[in-house]
Amino acid sequence: MHYDAAAEELRGKLIGLGEKSIRKSYYPELQRRMDELERLNAELEQRVADRTAQLAAANKELEAFCYSVSHDLRAPLRSIDGFSLAVLEDYGQLLDEEGLGYLNRVRLASQRMAELIDGLLNLSRLTRGDMIKQEVDFSAIAGIVAEELKHRFPDRTVMVIIKPDMKAYGDVGLLRTLLENLLGNAFKFTAKCANAVIEVGSTLDRESGQSVLYVRDNGAGFDMTYADKLFGAFQRLHTVHEFPGNGIGLATVQRIINRHGGKIWADGTVNQGATFFFSI
Ligand SMILES: Nc1ncnc2c1ncn2[C@@H]1O[C@H](COP(=O)(O)OP(=O)(O)O)[C@@H](O)[C@H]1O
Ligand SMILES: [Mg+2]
């Protein structure tokens, strides 16, 4: 209301004085302010550009560091694995059962470490590769990944329900990796479930009102107290004895979501299943 009244008053004055004379008397001041605004704007843009460049450089350095560390760790590991195998093969008969057991544990541990390093390398490659965003048939990719999993675990009876015609805007390869991890987890964590049901669908998020996708299963679930740990590299809420794995999957998924500018969160109940919601 105040604004309207002031505008009306100004309009009256303008008519009274004539636009030209007003422009003339205010022009130098107006010009000065506009120049100042332009300068501030340019300065701000430059600062944002500088910070973005710094951040990108730091990120790149960190990625390169992670890559070379994981890469360099593999060589000594291959030696440990290779030479312990040589001892087993060439001197195995000289060792008693306990000695053989220790050596086998050395080999198992080095193989597990190799798996972890591979996981790290994959994770770091994921952030380095190029990304091509386009509209993709999310339902179709989910279908392909689910078929592959059924094929890989022929002994399992899993009902997979995929909502048809779900679309997403993103990189096909990365979205496939995302689904391989989420559906792979859903398969794994329903392994002890008599009637495993996995669902890939979409729903409206109550908080944002946005459409979000989800992967749901009725498997082992998890304790929500530790939900914030799920997406960290090497973080696992189940032991290797309960369910095998290296804890890289959800960290990978989180990176893919980050690269798409989306969000991911999880909901779970012990022994009642888990749902992973995400926007992309
Ligand atoms: N569908 C799921 N149901 C229950 N727990 C899950 C599920 N998906 C992931 N988790 C929990 O999150 C942890 C991290 O998952 P992930 O990074 O994929 O590692 P991994 O599959 O190697 O265990 C898992 O170890 C498990 O504790
Ligand atoms: Mg996994």
Side-chain angles (χ1 to χ4, degrees):
M1 287 304 126
H2 274 304
Y3 175 78
D4 282 352
E8 201 50 48
E9 195 186 327
L10 195 66
R11 215 153 68 96
K13 277 186 186 162
L14 268 175
I15 295 165
L17 288 166
E19 252 187 72
K20 252 188 193 155
S21 73
I22 263 216
R23 238 194 255 156
K24 225 180 210 169
S25 62
Y26 284 115
Y27 188 77
E29 177 64 8
L30 201 65
Q31 189 59 46
R32 200 186 60 73
R33 296 226 175 153
M34 271 166 71
D35 288 349
E36 175 75 2
L37 207 64
E38 216 164 274
R39 192 184 59 75
L40 282 174
N41 237 339
E43 211 178 278
L44 199 67
E45 258 168 42
Q46 187 56 47
R47 261 177 26 208
V48 171
D50 287 351
R51 290 271 158 84
T52 312
Q54 279 170 9
L55 211 64
N59 246 341
K60 222 172 172 180
E61 215 171 277
L62 206 66
E63 288 303 330
F65 175 75
C66 182
Y67 183 82
S68 58
V69 165
S70 358
H71 195 262
D72 294 350
L73 283 176
R74 293 176 113 206
L77 205 58
R78 259 199 303 275
S79 288
I80 296 173
D81 193 40
F83 282 111
S84 48
L85 177 66
V87 174
L88 265 179
E89 282 178 355
D90 299 346
Y91 302 92
Q93 71 279 15
L94 300 178
L95 292 171
D96 61 9
E97 208 167 304
E98 205 175 4
L100 287 173
Y102 288 162
L103 217 49
N104 272 321
R105 279 163 72 171
V106 169
R107 295 209 62 220
L108 281 178
S110 69
Q111 279 158 15
R112 175 143 178 78
M113 192 165 163
E115 274 171 31
L116 295 179
I117 291 174
D118 281 348
L120 268 185
L121 273 171
N122 283 338
L123 192 63
S124 117
R125 275 196 200 112
L126 208 86
T127 357
R128 293 148 73 93
D130 287 336
M131 189 163 107
I132 302 165
K133 278 176 128 187
Q134 58 188 6
E135 188 174 86
V136 296
D137 188 339
F138 197 74
S139 301
I141 306 178
I144 293 168
V145 173
E147 278 313 307
E148 275 174 10
L149 282 163
K150 284 181 182 169
H151 202 71
R152 205 185 320 154
F153 303 104
D155 300 340
R156 295 282 313 277
T157 316
V158 181
M159 191 200 280
V160 183
I161 305 163
I162 301 168
K163 182 172 169 175
D165 296 325
M166 285 184 293
K167 302 274 184 265
Y169 189 73
D171 182 275
V172 181
L174 290 181
L175 292 182
R176 191 191 169 111
T177 307
L178 171 130
L179 276 166
E180 278 167 3
N181 279 297
L182 291 180
L183 284 173
N185 279 347
F187 259 74
K188 172 161 65 182
F189 291 101
T190 50
K192 297 172 185 169
C193 201
N195 300 304
V197 182
I198 297 173
E199 194 191 334
V200 185
S202 66
T203 182
L204 275 188
D205 177 37
R206 250 178 272 148
E207 258 178 48
S208 64
Q210 255 191 342
S211 172
V212 292
L213 299 160
Y214 64 85
V215 175
R216 173 173 293 148
D217 68 69
N218 61 344
F222 60 87
D223 184 347
M224 277 300 275
T225 322
Y226 307 107
D228 58 327
K229 295 216 184 311
L230 286 172
F231 299 97
F234 301 131
Q235 298 276 8
R236 307 193 72 228
L237 303 186
H238 298 85
T239 64
V240 185
H241 304 291
E242 287 173 291
F243 297 97
N246 56 20
I248 291 286
L250 287 183
T252 305
V253 167
Q254 171 86 73
R255 283 214 186 180
I256 292 173
I257 293 288
N258 284 352
R259 285 199 75 180
H260 283 83
K263 264 195 198 162
I264 181 158
W265 64 98
D267 193 11
T269 311
V270 174
N271 291 329
Q272 286 186 35
T275 308
F276 289 83
F277 296 96
F278 49 98
S279 62
I280 26 181

Short mmCIF file of all heavy atoms in Angstrom, two decimals, residues 166-226:
data_model
loop_
_atom_site.label_atom_id
_atom_site.label_comp_id
_atom_site.label_asym_id
_atom_site.label_seq_id
_atom_site.Cartn_x
_atom_site.Cartn_y
_atom_site.Cartn_z
N MET A 166 9.01 -44.77 -16.20
CA MET A 166 9.66 -43.74 -15.37
C MET A 166 10.82 -43.17 -16.18
O MET A 166 11.62 -43.91 -16.74
CB MET A 166 10.20 -44.36 -14.08
CG MET A 166 9.13 -44.68 -13.07
SD MET A 166 9.85 -45.29 -11.55
CE MET A 166 10.53 -46.82 -12.05
N LYS A 167 10.88 -41.84 -16.22
CA LYS A 167 11.94 -41.17 -16.98
C LYS A 167 12.88 -40.46 -15.99
O LYS A 167 12.47 -40.10 -14.90
CB LYS A 167 11.35 -40.12 -17.93
CG LYS A 167 10.33 -40.69 -18.92
CD LYS A 167 11.03 -41.23 -20.15
CE LYS A 167 10.05 -41.73 -21.19
NZ LYS A 167 9.79 -43.16 -21.09
N ALA A 168 14.11 -40.27 -16.43
CA ALA A 168 15.05 -39.48 -15.63
C ALA A 168 15.94 -38.72 -16.58
O ALA A 168 16.11 -39.13 -17.73
CB ALA A 168 15.88 -40.40 -14.74
N TYR A 169 16.48 -37.61 -16.11
CA TYR A 169 17.39 -36.83 -16.95
C TYR A 169 18.79 -37.00 -16.38
O TYR A 169 19.11 -36.50 -15.30
CB TYR A 169 16.96 -35.35 -16.94
CG TYR A 169 17.71 -34.53 -17.94
CD1 TYR A 169 17.44 -34.66 -19.31
CD2 TYR A 169 18.70 -33.65 -17.54
CE1 TYR A 169 18.15 -33.92 -20.23
CE2 TYR A 169 19.40 -32.90 -18.47
CZ TYR A 169 19.12 -33.05 -19.81
OH TYR A 169 19.81 -32.32 -20.73
N GLY A 170 19.62 -37.79 -17.09
CA GLY A 170 20.96 -38.03 -16.56
C GLY A 170 21.82 -38.84 -17.51
O GLY A 170 21.45 -39.08 -18.66
N ASP A 171 22.98 -39.27 -16.98
CA ASP A 171 23.93 -40.04 -17.77
C ASP A 171 23.56 -41.53 -17.71
O ASP A 171 23.46 -42.10 -16.62
CB ASP A 171 25.34 -39.81 -17.21
CG ASP A 171 26.38 -40.54 -18.00
OD1 ASP A 171 26.61 -41.73 -17.72
OD2 ASP A 171 26.96 -39.92 -18.91
N VAL A 172 23.35 -42.13 -18.86
CA VAL A 172 22.89 -43.53 -18.91
C VAL A 172 23.81 -44.47 -18.13
O VAL A 172 23.35 -45.28 -17.32
CB VAL A 172 22.80 -44.04 -20.37
CG1 VAL A 172 22.30 -45.46 -20.42
CG2 VAL A 172 21.89 -43.16 -21.19
N GLY A 173 25.12 -44.35 -18.39
CA GLY A 173 26.08 -45.25 -17.75
C GLY A 173 26.05 -45.11 -16.23
O GLY A 173 26.03 -46.10 -15.49
N LEU A 174 26.04 -43.85 -15.77
CA LEU A 174 26.06 -43.62 -14.33
C LEU A 174 24.76 -44.08 -13.68
O LEU A 174 24.76 -44.66 -12.58
CB LEU A 174 26.30 -42.13 -14.02
CG LEU A 174 27.71 -41.61 -14.34
CD1 LEU A 174 27.83 -40.14 -13.96
CD2 LEU A 174 28.77 -42.40 -13.60
N LEU A 175 23.63 -43.86 -14.37
CA LEU A 175 22.35 -44.28 -13.80
C LEU A 175 22.26 -45.80 -13.74
O LEU A 175 21.66 -46.37 -12.82
CB LEU A 175 21.17 -43.69 -14.58
CG LEU A 175 21.04 -42.17 -14.45
CD1 LEU A 175 19.83 -41.66 -15.20
CD2 LEU A 175 20.97 -41.75 -12.98
N ARG A 176 22.90 -46.44 -14.68
CA ARG A 176 22.93 -47.90 -14.67
C ARG A 176 23.77 -48.39 -13.47
O ARG A 176 23.35 -49.30 -12.75
CB ARG A 176 23.54 -48.38 -15.98
CG ARG A 176 23.38 -49.86 -16.15
CD ARG A 176 24.21 -50.34 -17.31
NE ARG A 176 24.22 -51.78 -17.26
CZ ARG A 176 23.61 -52.55 -18.13
NH1 ARG A 176 22.97 -52.05 -19.12
NH2 ARG A 176 23.67 -53.86 -17.99
N THR A 177 24.93 -47.75 -13.26
CA THR A 177 25.76 -48.11 -12.10
C THR A 177 24.99 -47.89 -10.80
O THR A 177 25.06 -48.70 -9.87
CB THR A 177 27.06 -47.26 -12.09
OG1 THR A 177 27.68 -47.41 -13.35
CG2 THR A 177 28.00 -47.67 -11.00
N LEU A 178 24.24 -46.79 -10.75
CA LEU A 178 23.43 -46.50 -9.57
C LEU A 178 22.44 -47.64 -9.30
O LEU A 178 22.33 -48.14 -8.19
CB LEU A 178 22.68 -45.18 -9.81
CG LEU A 178 21.62 -44.77 -8.80
CD1 LEU A 178 21.88 -43.33 -8.38
CD2 LEU A 178 20.22 -44.85 -9.33
N LEU A 179 21.75 -48.06 -10.37
CA LEU A 179 20.76 -49.13 -10.20
C LEU A 179 21.42 -50.48 -9.90
O LEU A 179 20.86 -51.28 -9.15
CB LEU A 179 19.89 -49.23 -11.46
CG LEU A 179 18.73 -48.24 -11.46
CD1 LEU A 179 18.10 -48.13 -12.83
CD2 LEU A 179 17.67 -48.64 -10.42
N GLU A 180 22.59 -50.71 -10.49
CA GLU A 180 23.30 -51.97 -10.19
C GLU A 180 23.60 -52.05 -8.70
O GLU A 180 23.45 -53.10 -8.08
CB GLU A 180 24.60 -52.05 -10.99
CG GLU A 180 24.39 -52.52 -12.41
CD GLU A 180 25.60 -52.31 -13.30
OE1 GLU A 180 26.65 -51.83 -12.80
OE2 GLU A 180 25.50 -52.59 -14.49
N ASN A 181 23.99 -50.92 -8.12
CA ASN A 181 24.31 -50.92 -6.70
C ASN A 181 23.06 -51.02 -5.83
O ASN A 181 23.02 -51.82 -4.89
CB ASN A 181 25.10 -49.66 -6.33
CG ASN A 181 26.57 -49.83 -6.68
OD1 ASN A 181 27.24 -50.69 -6.13
ND2 ASN A 181 27.04 -49.05 -7.62
N LEU A 182 22.04 -50.21 -6.14
CA LEU A 182 20.84 -50.23 -5.29
C LEU A 182 20.08 -51.56 -5.42
O LEU A 182 19.66 -52.14 -4.43
CB LEU A 182 19.93 -49.05 -5.63
CG LEU A 182 20.44 -47.68 -5.24
CD1 LEU A 182 19.45 -46.59 -5.64
CD2 LEU A 182 20.73 -47.60 -3.74
N LEU A 183 19.93 -52.04 -6.66
CA LEU A 183 19.22 -53.32 -6.84
C LEU A 183 20.09 -54.48 -6.35
O LEU A 183 19.57 -55.46 -5.80
CB LEU A 183 18.82 -53.51 -8.30
CG LEU A 183 17.62 -52.68 -8.75
CD1 LEU A 183 17.40 -52.80 -10.25
CD2 LEU A 183 16.36 -53.13 -8.01
N GLY A 184 21.41 -54.35 -6.55
CA GLY A 184 22.33 -55.39 -6.04
C GLY A 184 22.19 -55.50 -4.53
O GLY A 184 22.10 -56.61 -3.98
N ASN A 185 22.14 -54.37 -3.85
CA ASN A 185 21.94 -54.37 -2.39
C ASN A 185 20.59 -55.00 -2.04
O ASN A 185 20.49 -55.80 -1.11
CB ASN A 185 21.99 -52.96 -1.83
CG ASN A 185 23.42 -52.47 -1.65
OD1 ASN A 185 24.37 -53.26 -1.71
ND2 ASN A 185 23.58 -51.18 -1.42
N ALA A 186 19.55 -54.59 -2.78
CA ALA A 186 18.20 -55.12 -2.49
C ALA A 186 18.19 -56.64 -2.62
O ALA A 186 17.60 -57.34 -1.79
CB ALA A 186 17.18 -54.47 -3.42
N PHE A 187 18.86 -57.15 -3.65
CA PHE A 187 18.97 -58.62 -3.81
C PHE A 187 19.72 -59.23 -2.63
O PHE A 187 19.27 -60.20 -2.04
CB PHE A 187 19.73 -58.95 -5.11
CG PHE A 187 18.82 -59.35 -6.23
CD1 PHE A 187 18.06 -58.40 -6.89
CD2 PHE A 187 18.72 -60.68 -6.63
CE1 PHE A 187 17.22 -58.76 -7.94
CE2 PHE A 187 17.88 -61.05 -7.67
CZ PHE A 187 17.14 -60.10 -8.33
N LYS A 188 20.86 -58.61 -2.32
CA LYS A 188 21.72 -59.18 -1.27
C LYS A 188 21.02 -59.18 0.09
O LYS A 188 21.02 -60.20 0.78
CB LYS A 188 23.01 -58.36 -1.20
CG LYS A 188 23.90 -58.72 -0.02
CD LYS A 188 25.32 -58.26 -0.21
CE LYS A 188 25.48 -56.76 -0.27
NZ LYS A 188 26.89 -56.40 -0.51
N PHE A 189 20.41 -58.06 0.43
CA PHE A 189 19.86 -57.96 1.79
C PHE A 189 18.48 -58.62 1.93
O PHE A 189 17.88 -58.57 3.00
CB PHE A 189 19.86 -56.50 2.25
CG PHE A 189 21.26 -56.00 2.49
CD1 PHE A 189 21.91 -55.22 1.55
CD2 PHE A 189 21.97 -56.37 3.63
CE1 PHE A 189 23.22 -54.79 1.74
CE2 PHE A 189 23.27 -55.96 3.84
CZ PHE A 189 23.90 -55.16 2.88
N THR A 190 17.99 -59.24 0.84
CA THR A 190 16.77 -60.06 0.96
C THR A 190 17.12 -61.54 0.87
O THR A 190 16.23 -62.38 0.79
CB THR A 190 15.75 -59.73 -0.16
OG1 THR A 190 16.41 -59.76 -1.43
CG2 THR A 190 15.09 -58.38 0.03
N ALA A 191 18.45 -61.84 0.89
CA ALA A 191 18.88 -63.23 0.68
C ALA A 191 18.29 -64.19 1.72
O ALA A 191 18.06 -65.36 1.43
CB ALA A 191 20.39 -63.30 0.69
N LYS A 192 18.04 -63.69 2.94
CA LYS A 192 17.53 -64.58 3.99
C LYS A 192 16.02 -64.47 4.12
O LYS A 192 15.44 -64.89 5.13
CB LYS A 192 18.22 -64.24 5.31
CG LYS A 192 19.71 -64.48 5.24
CD LYS A 192 20.44 -63.97 6.45
CE LYS A 192 21.94 -64.13 6.24
NZ LYS A 192 22.71 -63.43 7.26
N CYS A 193 15.40 -63.88 3.12
CA CYS A 193 13.97 -63.59 3.16
C CYS A 193 13.23 -64.63 2.31
O CYS A 193 13.61 -64.87 1.17
CB CYS A 193 13.84 -62.21 2.52
SG CYS A 193 12.39 -61.33 2.91
N ALA A 194 12.19 -65.25 2.87
CA ALA A 194 11.49 -66.30 2.12
C ALA A 194 10.76 -65.73 0.89
O ALA A 194 10.85 -66.29 -0.19
CB ALA A 194 10.50 -67.01 3.04
N ASN A 195 10.04 -64.62 1.07
CA ASN A 195 9.33 -64.02 -0.07
C ASN A 195 9.90 -62.64 -0.38
O ASN A 195 9.34 -61.62 0.02
CB ASN A 195 7.84 -63.87 0.25
CG ASN A 195 7.22 -65.21 0.54
OD1 ASN A 195 7.30 -66.13 -0.27
ND2 ASN A 195 6.64 -65.35 1.72
N ALA A 196 11.02 -62.65 -1.09
CA ALA A 196 11.67 -61.37 -1.37
C ALA A 196 10.89 -60.58 -2.42
O ALA A 196 10.54 -61.09 -3.47
CB ALA A 196 13.09 -61.62 -1.86
N VAL A 197 10.61 -59.31 -2.08
CA VAL A 197 9.94 -58.42 -3.04
C VAL A 197 10.77 -57.14 -3.15
O VAL A 197 11.10 -56.51 -2.14
CB VAL A 197 8.51 -58.06 -2.59
CG1 VAL A 197 7.84 -57.17 -3.64
CG2 VAL A 197 7.68 -59.31 -2.34
N ILE A 198 11.10 -56.78 -4.38
CA ILE A 198 11.85 -55.55 -4.62
C ILE A 198 11.01 -54.66 -5.54
O ILE A 198 10.44 -55.15 -6.51
CB ILE A 198 13.21 -55.86 -5.28
CG1 ILE A 198 14.07 -56.71 -4.33
CG2 ILE A 198 13.95 -54.58 -5.66
CD1 ILE A 198 15.35 -57.23 -4.95
N GLU A 199 10.96 -53.39 -5.18
CA GLU A 199 10.11 -52.50 -5.96
C GLU A 199 10.92 -51.28 -6.39
O GLU A 199 11.64 -50.68 -5.60
CB GLU A 199 8.97 -52.07 -5.04
CG GLU A 199 7.82 -51.42 -5.75
CD GLU A 199 6.86 -50.79 -4.75
OE1 GLU A 199 6.80 -51.22 -3.58
OE2 GLU A 199 6.21 -49.82 -5.15
N VAL A 200 10.80 -50.91 -7.68
CA VAL A 200 11.41 -49.67 -8.16
C VAL A 200 10.24 -48.79 -8.58
O VAL A 200 9.43 -49.18 -9.42
CB VAL A 200 12.35 -49.92 -9.36
CG1 VAL A 200 13.06 -48.62 -9.76
CG2 VAL A 200 13.36 -51.00 -9.06
N GLY A 201 10.14 -47.62 -7.99
CA GLY A 201 8.98 -46.78 -8.29
C GLY A 201 9.27 -45.31 -8.14
O GLY A 201 10.42 -44.89 -7.96
N SER A 202 8.22 -44.52 -8.23
CA SER A 202 8.37 -43.08 -8.01
C SER A 202 7.19 -42.60 -7.17
O SER A 202 6.12 -43.19 -7.19
CB SER A 202 8.41 -42.33 -9.35
OG SER A 202 7.17 -42.44 -10.00
N THR A 203 7.45 -41.54 -6.42
CA THR A 203 6.40 -41.00 -5.55
C THR A 203 6.64 -39.51 -5.36
O THR A 203 7.70 -38.99 -5.73
CB THR A 203 6.42 -41.74 -4.19
OG1 THR A 203 5.39 -41.24 -3.38
CG2 THR A 203 7.75 -41.56 -3.46
N LEU A 204 5.67 -38.84 -4.76
CA LEU A 204 5.86 -37.41 -4.49
C LEU A 204 6.45 -37.27 -3.09
O LEU A 204 5.93 -37.83 -2.13
CB LEU A 204 4.53 -36.67 -4.55
CG LEU A 204 4.06 -36.19 -5.93
CD1 LEU A 204 2.83 -35.33 -5.79
CD2 LEU A 204 5.16 -35.43 -6.68
N ASP A 205 7.56 -36.54 -3.01
CA ASP A 205 8.16 -36.32 -1.70
C ASP A 205 7.29 -35.33 -0.93
O ASP A 205 6.98 -34.25 -1.44
CB ASP A 205 9.58 -35.77 -1.88
CG ASP A 205 10.23 -35.46 -0.55
OD1 ASP A 205 10.00 -36.22 0.40
OD2 ASP A 205 10.95 -34.44 -0.47
N ARG A 206 6.90 -35.73 0.28
CA ARG A 206 5.98 -34.89 1.05
C ARG A 206 6.59 -33.53 1.38
O ARG A 206 5.92 -32.51 1.33
CB ARG A 206 5.59 -35.61 2.36
CG ARG A 206 4.13 -36.07 2.33
CD ARG A 206 3.79 -36.81 3.59
NE ARG A 206 4.09 -38.24 3.46
CZ ARG A 206 4.48 -39.00 4.46
NH1 ARG A 206 4.67 -38.50 5.66
NH2 ARG A 206 4.69 -40.28 4.29
N GLU A 207 7.89 -33.51 1.68
CA GLU A 207 8.53 -32.25 2.08
C GLU A 207 8.68 -31.26 0.92
O GLU A 207 8.28 -30.11 1.02
CB GLU A 207 9.90 -32.54 2.68
CG GLU A 207 9.88 -32.46 4.19
CD GLU A 207 11.23 -32.80 4.77
OE1 GLU A 207 12.23 -32.25 4.27
OE2 GLU A 207 11.26 -33.61 5.71
N SER A 208 9.25 -31.76 -0.19
CA SER A 208 9.56 -30.83 -1.29
C SER A 208 8.44 -30.76 -2.33
O SER A 208 8.43 -29.85 -3.15
CB SER A 208 10.86 -31.26 -1.97
OG SER A 208 10.68 -32.53 -2.57
N GLY A 209 7.54 -31.75 -2.31
CA GLY A 209 6.48 -31.80 -3.32
C GLY A 209 7.01 -32.27 -4.67
O GLY A 209 6.29 -32.29 -5.66
N GLN A 210 8.32 -32.65 -4.69
CA GLN A 210 8.97 -33.08 -5.93
C GLN A 210 8.77 -34.59 -6.15
O GLN A 210 8.58 -35.33 -5.18
CB GLN A 210 10.48 -32.86 -5.78
CG GLN A 210 10.99 -31.69 -6.55
CD GLN A 210 12.50 -31.71 -6.55
OE1 GLN A 210 13.14 -32.39 -5.74
NE2 GLN A 210 13.08 -30.97 -7.47
N SER A 211 8.86 -34.99 -7.41
CA SER A 211 8.77 -36.42 -7.70
C SER A 211 10.14 -37.06 -7.41
O SER A 211 11.17 -36.55 -7.84
CB SER A 211 8.41 -36.59 -9.17
OG SER A 211 8.51 -37.94 -9.51
N VAL A 212 10.14 -38.14 -6.65
CA VAL A 212 11.39 -38.83 -6.35
C VAL A 212 11.26 -40.30 -6.74
O VAL A 212 10.16 -40.85 -6.76
CB VAL A 212 11.80 -38.73 -4.86
CG1 VAL A 212 12.17 -37.32 -4.49
CG2 VAL A 212 10.70 -39.25 -3.94
N LEU A 213 12.40 -40.89 -7.07
CA LEU A 213 12.42 -42.31 -7.42
C LEU A 213 12.81 -43.09 -6.17
O LEU A 213 13.40 -42.53 -5.23
CB LEU A 213 13.44 -42.54 -8.53
CG LEU A 213 13.15 -41.80 -9.84
CD1 LEU A 213 14.40 -41.69 -10.69
CD2 LEU A 213 12.04 -42.51 -10.61
N TYR A 214 12.49 -44.37 -6.14
CA TYR A 214 12.94 -45.17 -5.00
C TYR A 214 13.16 -46.62 -5.37
O TYR A 214 12.60 -47.13 -6.35
CB TYR A 214 11.95 -45.07 -3.82
CG TYR A 214 10.58 -45.65 -4.10
CD1 TYR A 214 10.32 -47.00 -3.93
CD2 TYR A 214 9.54 -44.83 -4.53
CE1 TYR A 214 9.07 -47.53 -4.19
CE2 TYR A 214 8.29 -45.35 -4.80
CZ TYR A 214 8.06 -46.70 -4.62
OH TYR A 214 6.82 -47.22 -4.89
N VAL A 215 14.01 -47.28 -4.57
CA VAL A 215 14.21 -48.73 -4.66
C VAL A 215 13.91 -49.28 -3.26
O VAL A 215 14.52 -48.85 -2.28
CB VAL A 215 15.67 -49.08 -5.07
CG1 VAL A 215 15.88 -50.58 -5.04
CG2 VAL A 215 15.96 -48.54 -6.47
N ARG A 216 12.95 -50.19 -3.20
CA ARG A 216 12.50 -50.69 -1.89
C ARG A 216 12.63 -52.20 -1.84
O ARG A 216 12.47 -52.88 -2.86
CB ARG A 216 11.03 -50.30 -1.69
CG ARG A 216 10.37 -50.89 -0.46
CD ARG A 216 8.99 -50.31 -0.26
NE ARG A 216 9.07 -48.91 0.08
CZ ARG A 216 8.16 -47.99 -0.26
NH1 ARG A 216 7.09 -48.34 -0.95
NH2 ARG A 216 8.30 -46.74 0.11
N ASP A 217 12.98 -52.72 -0.66
CA ASP A 217 12.99 -54.19 -0.49
C ASP A 217 12.43 -54.55 0.87
O ASP A 217 12.29 -53.68 1.74
CB ASP A 217 14.41 -54.73 -0.67
CG ASP A 217 15.35 -54.30 0.43
OD1 ASP A 217 15.18 -54.75 1.59
OD2 ASP A 217 16.24 -53.47 0.16
N ASN A 218 12.10 -55.82 1.04
CA ASN A 218 11.55 -56.27 2.33
C ASN A 218 12.56 -57.19 3.04
O ASN A 218 12.18 -58.19 3.62
CB ASN A 218 10.20 -56.97 2.12
CG ASN A 218 10.33 -58.22 1.25
OD1 ASN A 218 11.35 -58.38 0.57
ND2 ASN A 218 9.34 -59.08 1.26
N GLY A 219 13.85 -56.82 2.93
CA GLY A 219 14.91 -57.66 3.49
C GLY A 219 15.34 -57.30 4.91
O GLY A 219 14.51 -56.89 5.73
N ALA A 220 16.65 -57.41 5.14
CA ALA A 220 17.21 -57.28 6.49
C ALA A 220 17.00 -55.89 7.11
O ALA A 220 16.99 -55.75 8.33
CB ALA A 220 18.70 -57.59 6.43
N GLY A 221 16.84 -54.88 6.27
CA GLY A 221 16.67 -53.52 6.80
C GLY A 221 17.89 -53.07 7.58
O GLY A 221 18.94 -53.71 7.56
N PHE A 222 17.76 -51.94 8.25
CA PHE A 222 18.88 -51.45 9.07
C PHE A 222 18.33 -50.54 10.16
O PHE A 222 17.17 -50.13 10.11
CB PHE A 222 19.91 -50.71 8.19
CG PHE A 222 19.34 -49.52 7.48
CD1 PHE A 222 19.29 -48.28 8.08
CD2 PHE A 222 18.82 -49.66 6.19
CE1 PHE A 222 18.73 -47.19 7.42
CE2 PHE A 222 18.28 -48.58 5.53
CZ PHE A 222 18.23 -47.35 6.15
N ASP A 223 19.20 -50.26 11.13
CA ASP A 223 18.82 -49.42 12.25
C ASP A 223 18.97 -47.95 11.83
O ASP A 223 20.06 -47.49 11.51
CB ASP A 223 19.77 -49.76 13.42
CG ASP A 223 19.42 -49.00 14.68
OD1 ASP A 223 18.61 -48.04 14.60
OD2 ASP A 223 19.96 -49.35 15.74
N MET A 224 17.84 -47.20 11.86
CA MET A 224 17.84 -45.80 11.41
C MET A 224 18.81 -44.91 12.20
O MET A 224 19.21 -43.85 11.72
CB MET A 224 16.43 -45.20 11.50
CG MET A 224 15.56 -45.54 10.30
SD MET A 224 16.23 -44.94 8.75
CE MET A 224 15.62 -43.26 8.73
N THR A 225 19.19 -45.34 13.42
CA THR A 225 20.13 -44.56 14.22
C THR A 225 21.42 -44.30 13.45
O THR A 225 22.08 -43.28 13.63
CB THR A 225 20.51 -45.34 15.50
OG1 THR A 225 19.35 -46.02 15.96
CG2 THR A 225 21.07 -44.44 16.57
N TYR A 226 21.79 -45.26 12.57
CA TYR A 226 23.06 -45.13 11.86
C TYR A 226 22.87 -44.76 10.39
O TYR A 226 23.77 -44.92 9.58
CB TYR A 226 23.85 -46.45 11.97
CG TYR A 226 24.00 -46.90 13.39
CD1 TYR A 226 23.26 -47.98 13.87
CD2 TYR A 226 24.83 -46.22 14.27
CE1 TYR A 226 23.37 -48.38 15.18
CE2 TYR A 226 24.93 -46.61 15.59
CZ TYR A 226 24.20 -47.69 16.04
OH TYR A 226 24.31 -48.07 17.34
#
